[in-house]
Amino acid sequence: MTTHAKLAVWVSQMERLCRPDRVVWLDGSEAEKTRLEAEAVASGELIRLDPARHPGSFYHRSAPNDVSRTEHLTYVCTRNQDDAGPANNWLSPAEGYRRGEEIARGSMSGRTMYVIPFSMGVVGSPFSKIGVQLTDSIYVALSMRIMTRMGRPVLEQLGADGEFTRCLHGKADLDINRRLILHFPEDNTIWSVGSGYGGNALLGKKCLSLRIASWLARREGWLAEHMLILGVEDPQGRVEYVTAAFPSACGKTNLAMLIPPEGFRAKGYKVWTVGDDIAWLRLGTDGRLWAVNPEAGFFGVAPGTNSRSNLNAMAAMRRDAIFTNVVLTEDGSVWWEGGDGPGPRAGLDWQGRPWHPGQKDAQGRPVPGAHPNSRFTAPARNCPCISAHWEDPQGVPISAIIFGGRRERLAPLVYEAFDWNHGVYVGATAASERTAAQVGTLGEVRRDPMAMLPFCGYNMADYFAHWLEMGRRVPRPPKIFHVNWFGKDEDGRFLWPGFGDNFRVLEWILARCRGEARARETAIGYLPGAGDLDLEGLRLPAGAMERLLAVRPEEWRAEGEGVKAFFGRFGARLPQELWRQHEALQQRLDAAARPSRR
Ligand code: OXD
Ligand code: MN
């Protein structure tokens, strides 16, 4: 199957470990796709949806204990524990392999092992990375077809001795007590056993394109980030690009595919999607940072996605999509809470139980039909607003980097960092309330630097140092901003409408990058005044803008304590520059809190 001796040896080693009944190398052809789909339908792994309404699309249910990423079972295995750092779970490589082997041994007996050569980034681009995933899940194999470029062209590109990430995935017995997601960055290897959930099992995504790639990026002088990439086209046809990092389930897909408010559309503004989850950024020959999206599809959160919140995502999943853990309706369609329409008369919920909208449990509480982290997997090429440059091997030049999170209080709608190093501090101190994409308590605030806390494959202190170093190496760096769409009033109502109206903030950000928009200097950075954003056509309650743009020094001081404790975890390895930024912010806050003498 391959002329690559090391690849052949590794596949037979893994075959001896997992003992599948057969090994099938996937070539990526249409005939192969049809065959896999038929097999998965026959085994019940997939259900074919109504071909008239959902051509080429399927439904899948994962095990009820296997519906989100399991960060507590995710490890970075380095020889030296400090290289994984305090934000990662750590095992020595020997112990990682030992525990992984225990679960993988013989786990594929009675099953087929698929060999999937895949490329993150377009095949053949000098910026792409190749992986080979072994898996005993057809759902995973078919999802990898959507999320990556895979098959024969990748094997050809790999040649006889190309570098690749060894990715072993096995469902084993889907027992949460026998589940491990192991990364061995020093060996360019990933082992994921005991889970079939996308974030744990589609190894090209979080495992390779973030954890392993972030390690490679540091060594090779680039950035692998948990960021969407979008382009804003103005009425003159000029397109400027931004990247934005938000923790999981904070609306990256919606922002990436945003439709500007009507007034802007009428003037000729458009948004083009390059990617919705991952960006790889490199220094271009023009001294700017350029970004590529290494993925080929979207793995988006379904609940809340509808034709009003994200018409483009709805169009992207109209055909050739896979839906996981949503409601399966009696007429072969799908639905989820916050989807289009009131829901089906009857259907099956994400666990396959009879379900209807408005269903209540014995205590009278509503029973959702779709899991809150249910997903759609859809090819990026289906998206009506996909950028003409989304497969450009060089990527697109980045004008602004945006950090954000979900905060009911504290963080204003938008602010701009004073410079790159301050921007790194802003990213490093970002925090968010927990969502359904991770196992844990919903709503709890956790620090999530650059939205990379669960995805940085090495010591985050070194990651911050790498960001600071990139600032020194990039002659024309993007400006850095922070946004928060999720501020609430005392009654728990959102202050900002979000979705398409976020365009108003993007427009201000890009105008700042061009030196064309006004801002006021505050202790935390540059903020627009209430009149500096274009709010035409938007009716906000009186005083909402003032509240959205307020900086309350006492709240920021309290936040500073949390930041100090977080930074303290990294000890002497944390770059001094971040402590210097922290001190400078505290001093600016003190000055802002003192009554002015004028
Ligand atoms: C995702 C995540 O699936 O961040 O993108 O969890
Ligand atoms: Mn993500």
Side-chain angles (χ1 to χ4, degrees):
M1 269 308 170
T2 177
T3 53
H4 196 299
K6 280 198 189 136
L7 171 57
V9 168
W10 172 67
V11 173
S12 27
Q13 269 169 1
M14 294 301 102
E15 185 183 350
R16 276 198 301 279
L17 173 66
C18 303
R19 293 202 211 102
D21 285 7
R22 68 195 83 73
V23 176
V24 174
W25 291 66
L26 298 189
D27 60 16
S29 65
E30 279 303 305
E32 172 184 276
K33 175 170 177 275
T34 310
R35 204 180 65 236
L36 290 176
E37 288 169 353
E39 264 175 56
V41 169
S43 71
E45 204 170 336
L46 293 182
I47 295 172
R48 193 182 298 278
L49 294 172
D50 173 14
R53 273 180 302 162
H54 301 281
S57 299
F58 294 86
Y59 178 84
H60 173 76
R61 259 183 218 113
S62 67
N65 73 8
D66 190 28
V67 291
S68 40
R69 284 184 291 100
T70 37
E71 290 172 14
H72 61 297
L73 303 175
T74 301
Y75 289 84
V76 171
C77 307
T78 45
R79 282 191 289 275
N80 178 346
Q81 182 166 5
D82 275 352
D83 291 339
N88 280 310
N89 300 314
W90 175 83
L91 287 174
S92 70
E95 182 60 8
Y97 286 125
R98 193 191 66 72
R99 291 196 198 177
E101 268 176 23
E102 221 171 78
I103 300 169
R105 187 166 301 117
S107 66
M108 295 190 188
S109 99
R111 301 179 186 172
T112 302
M113 176 195 265
Y114 298 98
V115 183
I116 312 171
F118 66 94
S119 174
M120 299 315 297
V122 290
V123 178
S125 157
F127 302 144
S128 298
K129 297 283 177 200
I130 288 179
V132 178
Q133 175 156 349
L134 311 180
T135 182
D136 55 0
S137 159
I138 304 189
Y139 165 72
V140 166
L142 287 169
S143 299
M144 288 291 285
R145 266 188 81 100
I146 299 178
M147 296 304 295
T148 73
R149 286 103 180 156
M150 51 77 68
R152 190 179 302 280
V154 179
L155 219 45
E156 279 162 14
Q157 178 65 32
L158 194 58
D161 57 2
E163 271 295 309
F164 68 98
T165 306
R166 291 181 280 249
C167 305
L168 170 66
H169 169 252
K171 292 182 287 190
D173 33 21
L174 296 174
D175 175 352
I176 192 155
N177 298 310
R178 285 166 40 81
R179 179 173 301 158
L180 287 172
I181 323 299
L182 303 162
H183 303 76
F184 304 91
E186 288 150 346
D187 300 344
N188 202 3
T189 295
I190 302 161
W191 281 19
S192 164
V193 284
S195 170
Y197 170 71
N200 291 334
L202 308 180
L203 301 188
K205 193 173 181 60
K206 304 301 186 182
C207 300
L208 193 161
S209 292
L210 289 175
R211 298 196 190 96
I212 295 290
S214 62
W215 173 285
L216 297 173
R218 175 167 171 244
R219 201 171 69 194
E220 297 167 4
W222 50 283
L223 292 167
E225 299 299 327
H226 190 204
M227 292 175 172
L228 67 88
I229 312 166
L230 66 80
V232 173
E233 179 172 340
D234 72 8
Q236 287 72 48
R238 170 180 56 189
V239 185
E240 291 165 312
Y241 297 89
V242 308
T243 62
F246 305 118
S248 311
C250 284
K252 284 213 305 296
T253 305
N254 290 343
L255 184 64
M257 299 177 190
L258 166 157
I259 298 177
E262 202 186 316
F264 288 91
R265 286 206 308 278
K267 285 186 210 149
Y269 284 98
K270 282 196 196 82
V271 167
W272 298 107
T273 309
V274 180
D276 78 328
D277 196 39
I278 297 174
W280 287 354
L281 299 115
R282 295 168 197 268
L283 176 58
T285 46
D286 61 353
R288 303 179 71 187
L289 270 186
W290 288 64
V292 298
N293 166 18
E295 301 191 278
F298 308 121
F299 179 64
V301 177
T305 308
N306 59 52
S307 303
R308 273 161 298 113
S309 65
N310 196 336
L311 188 63
N312 288 311
M314 296 304 287
M317 62 180 102
R318 200 150 289 149
R319 58 185 317 125
D320 303 323
I322 302 177
F323 298 89
T324 307
N325 294 339
V326 298
V327 172
L328 178 64
T329 70
E330 56 185 355
D331 54 354
S333 182
V334 286
W335 188 81
W336 46 81
E337 280 69 25
D340 279 339
R345 259 185 317 124
L348 299 176
D349 75 358
W350 65 276
Q351 295 188 67
R353 300 170 302 198
W355 181 89
H356 59 84
Q359 190 165 312
K360 303 256 176 23
D361 66 12
Q363 283 74 44
R365 288 173 306 216
V367 177
H371 186 275
N373 192 38
S374 52
R375 300 277 177 151
F376 61 86
T377 311
R381 62 168 187 278
N382 282 3
C383 183
C385 61
I386 198 74
S387 160
H389 297 284
W390 84 282
E391 299 203 277
D392 197 324
Q394 302 299 323
V396 293
I398 300 302
S399 300
I401 291 176
I402 304 172
F403 295 116
R406 184 183 283 268
R407 300 299 299 263
E408 287 192 15
R409 297 184 58 80
L410 189 82
L413 181 61
V414 57
Y415 65 100
E416 176 190 329
F418 294 120
D419 53 29
W420 180 270
N421 283 3
H422 179 229
V424 174
Y425 174 82
V426 168
T429 57
S432 191
E433 288 140 21
R434 203 187 274 272
T435 68
Q438 315 93 22
V439 169
T441 318
L442 287 184
E444 164 194 68
V445 170
R446 71 165 188 174
R447 308 228 73 82
D448 191 352
M450 282 89 170
M452 279 289 278
L453 185 73
F455 305 123
C456 183
Y458 60 102
N459 191 321
M460 271 208 133
D462 300 345
Y463 168 77
F464 299 145
H466 179 50
W467 263 84
L468 293 166
E469 170 62 21
M470 286 299 286
R472 287 187 285 274
R473 288 192 38 227
V474 180
R476 298 167 61 203
K479 278 183 183 284
I480 299 181
F481 297 79
H482 186 282
V483 301
N484 176 27
W485 318 130
F486 301 95
K488 287 187 176 169
D489 67 13
E490 287 71 31
D491 300 324
R493 280 182 303 238
F494 286 113
L495 286 161
W496 179 250
F499 299 104
D501 286 303
N502 294 337
F503 187 82
R504 302 172 192 277
V505 175
L506 290 181
E507 204 221 0
W508 180 81
I509 285 174
L510 287 170
R512 285 294 294 169
C513 295
R514 295 192 298 269
E516 288 170 7
R518 278 190 318 194
R520 63 192 169 101
E521 189 171 336
T522 74
I524 62 165
Y526 298 114
L527 264 82
D532 295 332
L533 295 184
D534 185 342
L535 300 179
E536 208 183 302
L538 179 66
R539 286 173 44 169
L540 290 175
M545 230 30 229
E546 286 68 21
R547 293 167 73 176
L548 282 161
L549 296 173
V551 179
R552 299 183 192 85
E554 14 23 283
E555 286 183 13
W556 282 93
R557 294 301 307 239
E559 178 81 357
E561 290 306 309
V563 168
K564 214 160 121 184
F566 180 69
F567 278 0
R569 291 176 57 196
F570 297 96
R573 211 141 158 169
L574 192 88
Q576 272 310 308
E577 174 61 14
L578 289 187
W579 282 121
R580 210 187 59 70
Q581 289 287 343
H582 186 68
E583 234 356 88
L585 170 61
Q586 304 316 305
Q587 282 168 16
R588 292 194 302 270
L589 290 167
D590 281 349
R594 272 196 297 274
S596 141
R597 265 186 255 122
R598 270 179 292 150

